[in-house]
Amino acid sequence: MHVVFFADQHLDSLGGAQVSMRLQRTFLERAGHTVTVVAPRMHARRDDAAPSEGNVDLPSLPITLDREYAMTWPGRATDRVLDRAMAHRPPVDLVHVQADFWGAFIGHRFAARHGIPVVHTMHNRVDVGLAAVTPLHRPVLAVLNLWRRTALRGIGVPVGGSDGWSYLRGLAAAAAAVTAPSGHFARRLEQNGVARTVDVVWNGIDDDVRAQTLAAAPAERTPGRPRFVWLGRMSPEKRLLPFLQAWVDAGIDAELEVIGGGGQRAAAERIVAGRADVRFAGRLSYAQTLERITAADALVQTSIGFETQGMTPFEAATLGTPSVVCDPDIAAELQGGLWAVPTTDPAARGRTVEAQRIEALAATLRQAAADIADGTAPQPVPAVADAFRQSSRTAAMIEVYERVLPRS
């Protein structure tokens, strides 16, 4: 079959959804399918950029100062550009929307014009994400819902409302199937009426890179000075700054490597300025990142309520590395092999919720460091590690595709 992915951001840009889609494309192509990826043209240069033969890069404008991210305006002009580009490609069997904003609008418009079924993967808790970055999240959500209704007029069942769940319900209205990358997010989508049934298909880890990484790793971990790793986009919803404050407060004899980039890097470096135990590695390749996770004694996951899956603890589990996990939903889905940070008491007097969270995270870091040093760190659950391989995730998604395709 020929599957067309629609994304908000180019697959060569930084982000968990982009990593997941690159892997999905690779493993679908290995299974004999054709994949085209439609996304805004990227403006930042990438030395490790993937070949572009399978991409349709739409005209775009950069939306961040580092030019990492861009947007394409959904409308008739973009529709015409896209249709011209797709006219030179094989007939499309299925549209897979893996976007939450302009990419979703463009993808659903394309599918409606050509009568193609849509599978929509929900990657984003838009309400939580917006609340983390702006105090004006409610009016922003109202504007987003208005934009959605305008861009998707006549497509699917009309959906009113101005909150985050209304927005997601509107995106899913024309989809033949809706998927989510975790059980906890799928439950929330169903409970809030986004779709009656949501298929759970985890994002995965590259089978080959995993095997190579594990083959190159030492057979056993040697107890000693604990090594922690944090990775991700340096933005408020990821809670890097509170984590670094917790790291300072914990006062442990350990090493920390911070991987990734983003707008909060300068602020993050100020918090730990002058400390020899913290190193900022910047952006690394996928293989390099997995190597660092394998070499670490523990990965730290710090976002709460935002992640629709939280790929990094699952990648760590697959590589045999336990995690310190702040989000209780992610902790539950991992089923073990972690240090869970205790939840806070919103009614506690004299301290903000975030202050309580920092204190709880610092205490958990102390416990993790002590367990690692004496060789009693928890071990990831083997069943979770096996189920996270991309080959199994692709097989699960193909089952969804085949279910929604017209029967000949």
Side-chain angles (χ1 to χ4, degrees), residues 384-397:
V384 171
D386 290 342
F388 193 64
R389 289 177 295 110
Q390 184 58 49
S391 56
S392 71
R393 300 305 82 218
T394 296
M397 188 62 78

Side-chain angles (χ1 to χ4, degrees), residues 152-213:
L152 300 182
R153 184 178 291 115
I155 299 174
V157 179
V159 176
S162 60
D163 64 357
W165 296 115
S166 299
Y167 183 77
L168 296 181
R169 282 194 292 271
L171 292 185
V178 175
T179 77
S182 69
H184 65 264
F185 189 41
R187 289 193 301 272
R188 286 202 174 96
L189 292 168
E190 291 170 349
Q191 291 165 359
N192 287 277
V194 173
R196 182 174 299 176
T197 302
V198 178
D199 291 282
V200 179
V201 183
W202 287 355
N203 296 320
I205 188 171
D206 189 309
D207 300 43
D208 299 336
V209 176
R210 171 182 179 264
Q212 293 164 6
T213 303

Side-chain angles (χ1 to χ4, degrees), residues 273-361:
R275 297 181 64 100
D277 58 339
V278 180
R279 185 172 79 89
F280 288 82
R283 176 183 169 129
L284 301 179
S285 70
Y286 180 68
Q288 289 172 325
T289 300
L290 296 186
E291 288 173 3
R292 302 298 176 85
I293 294 174
T294 306
D297 295 298
L299 176 135
V300 185
Q301 179 273 327
T302 49
S303 59
I304 300 175
F306 169 73
E307 306 290 351
T308 55
Q309 177 182 8
M311 285 183 65
T312 56
F314 289 88
E315 289 171 330
T318 306
L319 296 167
T321 302
S323 295
V324 174
V325 179
C326 291
D327 191 311
D329 287 330
I330 296 174
E333 198 134 359
L334 282 168
Q335 303 174 31
L338 69 144
W339 296 271
V341 179
T343 55
T344 56
D345 179 8
R349 295 183 178 180
R351 291 178 301 158
T352 65
V353 169
E354 189 67 328
Q356 294 179 65
R357 288 173 170 172
I358 291 171
E359 181 179 323
L361 178 53

Side-chain angles (χ1 to χ4, degrees), residues 8 34-35 39 92 106 133 136 138 141 159 172-173 181 198 224 239 264 322 326 329 338 345 348 350 366 387 393:
D8 284 323
T34 300
V35 180
V92 177
I106 294 166
V133 299
L136 302 175
R138 288 188 178 86
L141 277 170
V159 176
V198 178
R239 299 185 64 247
Q264 290 193 321
C326 291
D329 287 330
L338 69 144
D345 179 8
R366 292 187 201 103
R393 300 305 82 218

Side-chain angles (χ1 to χ4, degrees), residues 38 63 85 124 131 159 164 258 312 318 320 382:
V38 179
I63 57 174
N124 197 336
V159 176
V258 180
T312 56
T318 306

